[in-house]
Structures are given as C-alpha cells and as structure tokens.
Amino acid sequence: MHSQLLINDRVIMYDRSNFGPSKISLPNGTCRDSPNDSVWKRDCTAHSIEYDVALNRVRPLTVQSNTWCSSGGVTPDGTLLQTGGDKDGERKARLFYPCDDDSCDWSEIDNALNVKRWYASNHVLPDGRQIIVGGRDEFNFEFFPKTNAPNTYSLRFLSETNDLDQENNLYPNVFLNTDGNLFIFANNRAILLDYSKNTVVKSYPEIPGGEPRSYPSTGSAVLLPIKNHEEEVIELEVLVCGGAPKGSYLLALNENTFVKGLDTCARIKINDANPKWVLEKMPRPRIMGDMIILPNGQVLLINGGSSGSAGWELGREPVLNPDLYHPDKPTGSRFQVQNPSTIPRMYHSTATLLRDGRVLVGGSNPHEFYNFTGVLFPTELRLEAFSPSYLETQHRNIRPRIMSPSLHSTVNYGGILRLRFRVLGGVKTPVKVTMAFPSFTTHSFSMSQRLLVLDHVTSLRIGQWTYEVRVKTPRSANLAPPGYYMVFVVNQDIPSEGIWVRLQ
C-alpha cells in the first residue's frame, strides 16, 4: 500500500496493521496487542518490511499503530517520516532512519498531528519541514514538526472540491512551485497556495470536461522535469492522467456497474499568465495508475485498471501494459506502449524508482483483509521490476558509468557539481545531468516526486572513454528542497546508475 526508497537503497513497504495475520512473522516472538480491534486482538506478524534490493531480502519491521491509507516523505537527513492513518494511528507520526546493520525499526510519536490524517498528502518544503494537506473530512493543512499556534490552517478549496457521497478530492496532488508556493490539484481543478500566509495566489481553470481525477476516481499526476533554472520565471508543467467519470464510485459500490475510466491526460503550464489545460489521449483508459519520472525525463504510467473505481472490490479490467510518455515530443506522438506484465496491479499497488534505473512494482490488495483464494484479484505478494528499454544490452556501450564523486556526497546550493564518468561507445554532447528526489508512493500518487535537469557549465573529454561534466546545482530550496537526491548522467536518453547526493 505504501513504499519509499531510502538512501541505503532499501525500500520500506507497509500496509495497514489490522488486516489480520500476514505471511511474515515478527522476530523474537514479538506481538502487537490491539484491545480496541474488534477482529484481531493480538497479531504476531509483520505489516511493514524493509526490502534490500541488492540482496532480494526482506526484513520484518514493527509498527505499533494503524498506518492504513497514510502519507509520508523523507526528511533532509534521510529519515522516513510517515504521518497519520486510521483509528489509533490517525494522529501519529512515525520515523524510520535507515541503517546497514538491521538494527533500525519504526519509532512512533503520539499526538504529533493536530487532527486526524487519513488519505492526506505530504510534500517536503524548502525549509525541510513537511506539509500535510487534507484527508477525509479534513479541509485544512498542518506541518510537521508542528508550528506555533494555530497548528491547523483551514483550506476552503478542499471543501469546494468535495463531491457529495463521493469525495473525489482525497490524496490531493501537491507540488512545490519554483516561487515557493504550492500547486494543489484536487478533483478536477487546482490552486496555487502561499502556505506561509494561507492565501490563494492563483486559481486554475477546471480541466475540460470536468471529470474527477482524485480518489476514489483515482488518476495520477506528476510535475514534469524542471529545466532552465536561471530563467527569471521558470516554466513548470503539471501532467494529470486518467481517473474515472463522476458517479463511477457510486455505480460500482451500489449497482455493481463498472464504468470505463478516463483515457485522457491534462497538461498545464502553471506559471503562465493565463494558464490553460491541454488534453491529450492516452492509449487506453486508466484508473489507479502510478506515474514515475524516469532518470531521462520520460514518464512511466503503470498499474491500475480501465474500469470501475478505487476502493474495495470496485476496480475491473487490469491494465497490464505500461505506457511511456515522452514530454518533449509533439502532441499525438508522446505515448509509447510497453510490454505487458502478467500480474494485475489493482487497488493498493505501488511503483518506486530505484537507483539503478528500474522501477520496483508491488502490491494489489482490493480487499478488506488479506484474501488469496476465491476472489477476482487475490492479494498479491510478488514484487516485479520494470526495466525500461534504456537497460537493454544493446545500449550498454552508451550507458554512462559515474566514476566520481563517490556513491554518497554533499553539494551546496548555487555551487558546481563535477561528475567524471566513462562511456565505452562515445558521447553525443551535451549529456544531461538529472537529479531525482526519492518519492513516497501510495494510492497512485508519488509525493514530493521531482526531477531536475541541471544547467551545464562545461563538458570535456579527459581520456579515451572518460569524460567530465560540470553542472550548476539548484540555486535555491524552492527549486529543490534540501535532502538526498539520486543524480544521473544521461547520454542519448540512456541514464547511468545514480549516485546519492545530499543537497544542503
């Protein structure tokens, strides 16, 4: 249900803690008592794990409260902050700091949140805090750590986008604009929010057609790659894809009728003086899909179904083919259909970009509890790695390999980053250098997802197969919040394996 890559290249995954027993036991006879749970009073199994990608190894972790449909993100020092959930977890915050000796586990903070946060969204801010926006019946936002009173700030936009008996505005899509304000999309429209003053700076038009694209009519959204950082006003574009027509949730819930999902994406330049949504067709309808920005700036659409709605038992027609979206190609030629999986990834699936350029795919459990037999889409325990075409062996000679700096290094804002790399088959200049923030993924939204294409200073050849490129690091935290990023060298759309760089 939730996943997050950490700086030790391990992925933290978890679902809710009251699903009933899982297939992985907690170590050393550890159990969790839940006296207020009407079904499971005592549970000795894990509902969170740490997955070591390199070793293909799972380590059980312990969560003490209910993490169902929660939110999160990584802090500047690499700690995973997780916020909210249901019942005894609705106002909790949980912290997980990565370690290499298997000694680390979740810690919990009681009453860390001012109100309950269930189906909310987080975003990392320029000062390193996280903002938590919305959630069921919560038309407001707050910060972690808590600010001075008031701790909760009303946001009328969230009540205005709430459809009666359907919601269609949960897990709002939140993106940091380069002016420091937040672009917030919910249902079928968006605002630009100055969160420091709780003032709406700009209201964007409704997407043509007016159909909802937020939970449970779940689409997905990304902030397209950020370029040309020296411009006074940087052009930023948001892409929203898929969703379900209004009423789909109620028809699936009450009448067992599964309406075809939306087969369009909407794209908007958020800093234009007169911004307008531009629609384009996808290869097929898609609801509950995930959108992941790859290191070369292309966007992967993966997971989900093509009819029905998000929610228990409400999705149908799995979409097995991923699609690749090329943002810089002309409208009408941007989508490229990829080879299919054989595993349906329906409600409660995730996708996570790894440092080696693959995308880790897991989940799918559209049931109230774990259910492995006699259902349309059984609870799915298998993980997959989607390997983009840039990893094919035919590209091996033009795939860069970063030689320096080392796997973990630190850079400052407004500085110069020097990368030395090898390419056996030669370089077509200029290579690109990109940096990707590791996003927190749940319910078809990758929170704080961000990819920057860094501005060049110089590029030169220093040996037969060895090259050096110097790029400018982002000039401010509005462009790139502080923290760890994966940095890639991209040659002819073929990215290197990334290195971890801390921006501060």
Side-chain angles (χ1 to χ4, degrees), residues 96-110:
F96 185 96
Y97 188 79
C99 63
D100 293 324
D101 62 1
D102 294 349
S103 63
C104 44
D105 208 335
W106 288 103
S107 61
E108 302 203 355
I109 306 172
D110 292 334

Side-chain angles (χ1 to χ4, degrees), residues 179 181 192-194 199-203:
D179 61 4
N181 296 316
L192 191 64
L193 177 72
D194 181 342
T199 301
V200 174
V201 177
K202 184 185 295 187
S203 294

Side-chain angles (χ1 to χ4, degrees), residues 295-306:
N296 60 4
Q298 296 167 5
V299 180
L300 177 69
L301 285 78
I302 197 167
N303 298 339
S306 61

Side-chain angles (χ1 to χ4, degrees), residues 112-169:
L113 306 175
N114 202 48
V115 298
K116 62 184 177 69
R117 296 293 173 188
W118 196 28
Y119 299 88
S121 291
N122 289 26
H123 201 294
V124 180
L125 297 175
D127 61 5
R129 293 179 299 159
Q130 290 189 31
I131 189 170
I132 306 110
V133 180
R136 177 158 286 164
D137 299 324
E138 296 296 344
F139 308 127
N140 51 60
F141 63 89
E142 64 178 293
F143 301 92
F144 184 92
K146 286 182 179 179
T147 60
N148 295 327
N151 289 319
T152 306
Y153 302 82
S154 178
L155 186 57
R156 190 173 65 180
F157 170 73
L158 293 176
S159 60
E160 293 172 343
T161 52
N162 182 55
D163 289 340
L164 182 65
D165 297 327
Q166 300 175 75
E167 297 174 307
N168 286 333
N169 71 341

Side-chain angles (χ1 to χ4, degrees), residues 40-62:
W40 310 103
K41 300 293 186 184
R42 186 171 177 81
D43 187 357
C44 304
T45 62
H47 300 282
S48 176
I49 60 99
E50 178 191 65
Y51 177 62
D52 188 318
V53 176
L55 299 179
N56 191 29
R57 186 189 69 171
V58 166
R59 181 169 72 93
L61 303 174
T62 305

